[in-house]
């Protein structure tokens, strides 16, 4: 079993930056492609970004391309989401996720979820 714990959320102004962290424990961290999802108030959970085990292949939702960057540090058993030029529509609970493969990095196929960290973008 894998446990994921997110941190780093908070209140930021539009145009600001925030870095989310996800601490991973349990099964070997390098076994799982890692990803980030988010769920805005009243909306369905949606894919944000994913990274393979080597940290060399990343995928992003169109809405965050060029603004967000996912990374991982296997030595520290951690995955990160650097969020820049934040917009009010980025406001959501952000969830760390682990999947069996990059191809299964979808809401329905994620194997392990964190409990989320809230990001609020507002003036």
């Amino acid at each position: 079993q894998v446990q994921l714990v997110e941190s780093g959320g908070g209140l930021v102004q539009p145009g600001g930056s925030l870095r989310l962290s996800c601490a991973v424990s349990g099964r070997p961290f390098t076994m799982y492609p890692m990803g980030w999802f988010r769920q805005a108030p009243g909306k369905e959970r949606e894919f944000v970004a994913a990274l393979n085990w080597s940290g060399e292949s990343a995928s992003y939702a169109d809405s965050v391309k060029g603004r967000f960057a996912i990374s991982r540090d296997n030595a520290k058993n951690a995955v990160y989401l650097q969020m820049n030029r934040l917009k009010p529509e980025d406001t959501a609970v952000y969830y760390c996720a682990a999947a069996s493969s990059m191809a299964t990095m979808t809401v329905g196929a994620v194997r392990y979820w964190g409990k989320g960290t809230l990001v609020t973008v507002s003036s």
Side-chain angles (χ1 to χ4, degrees), residues 39-75:
Q39 188 165 16
K43 302 294 183 180
E44 296 294 319
R45 192 170 300 187
E46 65 177 357
F47 170 77
V48 175
L51 193 66
N52 71 349
W53 68 268
S54 70
E56 297 178 348
S57 180
S59 179
Y60 298 92
D62 289 342
S63 60
V64 305
K65 286 181 179 178
R67 299 190 298 119
F68 290 11
I70 186 172
S71 62
R72 67 193 296 166
D73 187 335
N74 291 341

Side-chain angles (χ1 to χ4, degrees), residues 24 29-30 53 72-80:
V24 184
F29 179 60
T30 55
W53 68 268
R72 67 193 296 166
D73 187 335
N74 291 341
K76 296 182 178 179
N77 283 1
V79 60
Y80 309 96

Side-chain angles (χ1 to χ4, degrees), residues 15-28:
S17 298
L18 202 62
R19 189 192 192 200
L20 305 183
S21 297
C22 175
V24 184
S25 63
R27 290 288 188 176

Side-chain angles (χ1 to χ4, degrees), residues 4-15:
L4 310 176
V5 181
E6 304 94 336
S7 63
L11 175 64
V12 297
Q13 295 183 330

Side-chain angles (χ1 to χ4, degrees), residues 95-119:
Y95 298 89
C96 185
S100 297
S101 68
M102 292 289 283
T104 57
M105 192 66 73
T106 62
V107 171
V110 165
R111 295 185 65 183
Y112 302 101
W113 293 101
K115 292 185 177 181
T117 185
L118 177 63
V119 173

